[in-house]
């Protein structure tokens, strides 16, 4: 079973506060770009290279990795950095939490909401999860952040981008979820 | 040292997201269809509490102002938010919870992550056409906040505005407490 709302909220609040207290606000979606960059760098040398003339000492043939003085290009060349390892460790945290939760909780790849609407169709679920993934990360990168970086970290700091991002995300998500999954 | 902190905090955050139910598409879609507000309450409580702690700590000098990191506001934030919202509702995952769900052994989360890498790749390739366009035009002076933080453009730039931030945080906590767990069921 999951924690109740109060325990859940306190735990989330402490995660966001402790990270900003010790180092910086939480963000996740940038690391999908860094992962892509690392993957491409196995085949393409100019995706990240040393360049003394930039602010970070790195540059890229890709305009996005090259922005802000080669900030992302540097992360691609040095994957052992705070933000990337943070996301890798999140994966481990999910793994351990699930193990401690006990085996009686079901962990089917087909959620109940999906079953009610589309039946036990695994192919359809994989397709929806994949399409959702494309839209979520495309949107998150265009917005410059996701639910963690904009909505949680942003609204914690009263940032205008955080509030407007959250409004836009819910304006799209609530009607879509109701149309797609409510009987 | 940074790497040790990344492992500790990343692990903690992933652990919490799983135990909160945020990595469960049934819980996310339950919230978005307004049936099961458990996560909505947790989110309001989390942001409210973190915000109160942050602004009190900034006031007493416990948090370094340099740790405040406000993201720029531009038109693309809202267009991107809409796109993310569609994908969030379709899949029941967002970037962080997708990573955690994959760690927790959900196979559908792996499809989501692969889709995410494709979506991020699309954006990487399209950025050169977008970077000087209307989507990237800065709004509200860019790195804008409602109140004074010391490291952003404050819309209400006055010493008392910090009190407003704390009040907003407290209101969020009250909203979390007052919202019903089940709604429109």
């Amino acid at each position: 079973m999951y924690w109740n709302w109060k325990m859940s909220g306190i735990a989330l609040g402490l995660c966001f506060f402790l990270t900003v207290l010790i180092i910086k606000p939480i963000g996740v979606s940038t690391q999908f770009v860094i992962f892509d960059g690392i993957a491409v760098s196995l085949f393409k040398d100019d995706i990240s290279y040393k360049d003394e003339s930039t602010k970070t000492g790195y540059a890229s043939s890709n305009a996005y990795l090259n922005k802000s003085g080669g900030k992302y290009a540097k992360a691609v060349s040095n994957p052992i950095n705070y933000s990337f390892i943070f996301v890798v460790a999140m994966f481990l945290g999910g793994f351990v939490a699930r193990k401690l939760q006990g085996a009686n909780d079901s962990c089917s790849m087909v959620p109940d909401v999906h079953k009610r609407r589309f039946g036990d169709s695994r192919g359809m679920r994989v397709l929806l999860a994949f399409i959702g993934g494309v839209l979520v990360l495309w949107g998150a990168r265009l917005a410059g952040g996701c639910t963690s970086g904009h909505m949680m970290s942003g609204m914690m700091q009263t940032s205008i981008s955080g509030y407007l991002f959250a409004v836009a995300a819910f304006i799209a998500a609530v009607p879509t979820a109701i149309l797609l999954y409510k009987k | 040292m940074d790497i040790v902190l990344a492992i500790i905090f990343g692990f903690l955050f992933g652990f919490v997201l799983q135990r909160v139910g945020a990595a469960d598409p049934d819980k996310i879609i339950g919230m978005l269809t307004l049936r099961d507000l458990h996560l909505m309450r947790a989110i309001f409580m989390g942001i409210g509490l973190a915000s109160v702690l942050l602004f009190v700590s900034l006031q007493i000098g416990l948090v370094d102002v340099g740790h405040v990191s406000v993201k720029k506001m531009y038109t693309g934030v809202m267009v991107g938010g809409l796109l993310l919202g569609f994908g969030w509702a379709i899949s029941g995952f967002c970037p962080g919870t997708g990573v955690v769900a994959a760690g927790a052994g959900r196979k559908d989360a792996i499809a989501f992550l692969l889709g995410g890498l494709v979506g991020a790749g699309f954006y990487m390739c399209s950025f050169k056409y977008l970077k000087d366009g209307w989507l990237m035009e800065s709004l509200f002076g860019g790195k804008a906040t409602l109140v004074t933080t010391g490291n952003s453009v404050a819309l209400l730039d006055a010493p008392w505005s910090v009190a407003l931030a704390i009040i907003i945080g407290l209101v969020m906590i009250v909203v979390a407490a007052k919202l019903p767990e089940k709604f429109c069921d």
Side-chain angles (χ1 to χ4, degrees):
Chain A
M1 263 313 284
Y2 298 124
W3 287 335
N4 66 29
W5 71 271
K6 206 184 287 177
M7 175 73 183
S8 298
I10 291 171
L12 279 175
L14 289 178
C15 283
F16 281 89
F17 173 68
L18 286 175
T19 44
V20 75
L21 171 68
I22 309 283
I23 182 154
K24 64 175 182 179
I26 291 177
V28 176
S29 65
T30 307
Q31 304 316 311
F32 282 73
V33 170
I34 305 304
F35 191 99
D36 277 341
I38 295 168
V40 174
S41 71
L42 300 176
F43 309 100
K44 210 164 166 281
D45 290 335
D46 65 354
I47 205 73
S48 171
Y49 53 89
K50 284 200 162 119
D51 182 343
E52 300 287 321
S53 67
T54 70
K55 202 169 79 189
T56 61
Y58 289 86
S60 173
S61 58
N62 177 274
Y64 193 53
L65 294 179
N66 202 40
K67 86 180 184 100
S68 307
K71 196 171 69 179
Y72 295 158
K74 184 180 176 188
V76 167
S77 287
N78 304 279
I80 311 293
N81 64 71
Y82 176 84
S83 301
F84 194 70
I85 297 300
F86 181 92
V87 174
V88 174
M90 282 175 69
F91 183 92
L92 295 175
F95 177 80
V96 172
R98 170 92 186 98
K99 289 289 163 210
L100 296 179
Q101 241 166 296
N104 54 348
D105 286 343
S106 74
C107 192
S108 160
M109 67 178 284
V110 185
D112 290 339
V113 286
H114 181 95
K115 276 183 200 152
R116 280 201 293 262
R117 187 71 164 75
F118 302 106
D120 205 353
S121 51
R122 290 170 151 242
M124 184 66 173
R125 175 61 190 152
V126 166
L127 183 67
L128 290 179
F130 182 84
I131 294 171
V134 174
L135 290 172
V136 165
L137 265 302
W138 187 12
R141 282 301 86 214
L142 175 56
C146 61
T147 333
S148 301
H150 261 316
M151 204 183 286
M152 301 284 300
S153 302
M155 285 170 65
M156 166 182 79
Q157 301 172 102
T158 75
S159 81
I160 303 304
S161 54
Y163 292 128
L164 294 178
F165 173 86
V167 167
F170 277 98
I171 283 179
V174 169
T176 307
I178 288 174
L179 279 175
L180 204 51
Y181 293 108
K182 207 161 184 174
K183 279 173 291 189
Chain B
M1 189 57 198
D2 268 13
I3 301 307
V4 177
L5 288 174
I7 293 170
I8 295 169
F9 285 141
F11 184 91
L12 183 71
F13 187 46
F15 189 94
V16 167
L17 283 178
Q18 171 64 24
R19 296 310 304 266
V20 158
D24 181 345
D26 272 319
K27 285 300 217 182
I28 294 281
I29 292 167
M31 168 178 76
L32 296 176
T33 51
L34 310 178
R35 275 187 303 224
D36 175 359
L37 300 186
H38 169 82
L39 279 179
M40 196 76 251
R41 303 178 82 190
I43 291 170
F44 269 113
M45 180 75 191
I47 300 175
L49 176 66
S51 195
V52 170
L53 290 173
L54 173 64
F55 280 96
V56 169
S57 305
L58 280 170
Q59 277 307 100
I60 60 175
L62 184 64
V63 168
D64 183 346
V65 175
H67 289 187
V68 170
S69 174
V70 172
K71 290 180 188 283
K72 209 178 113 185
M73 181 60 212
Y74 51 94
T75 314
V77 170
M78 286 176 291
V79 179
L82 289 172
L83 280 173
L84 177 137
F86 290 126
W88 195 23
I90 291 170
S91 62
F93 293 121
C94 51
T97 62
V99 170
V100 174
R106 288 196 71 102
K107 293 197 183 73
D108 53 345
I110 296 173
F112 173 85
L113 293 183
L114 290 173
L117 291 172
V118 170
F122 273 162
Y123 188 70
M124 273 169 81
C125 299
S126 61
F127 181 73
K128 61 178 174 228
Y129 307 109
L130 301 176
K131 67 177 176 169
D132 300 316
W134 60 276
L135 275 170
M136 298 299 151
E137 270 169 33
S138 184
L139 300 170
F140 296 97
K143 296 186 176 183
T145 50
L146 192 57
V147 311
T148 309
T149 65
N151 199 13
S152 61
V153 182
L155 297 190
L156 300 171
D157 197 6
W160 55 263
S161 73
V162 175
L164 179 66
I166 293 169
I167 291 169
I168 293 171
L170 293 173
V171 167
M172 283 182 168
I173 294 172
V174 172
V175 169
K178 294 285 179 199
L179 278 176
E181 192 84 3
K182 301 285 176 206
F183 190 66
C184 295
D185 204 358

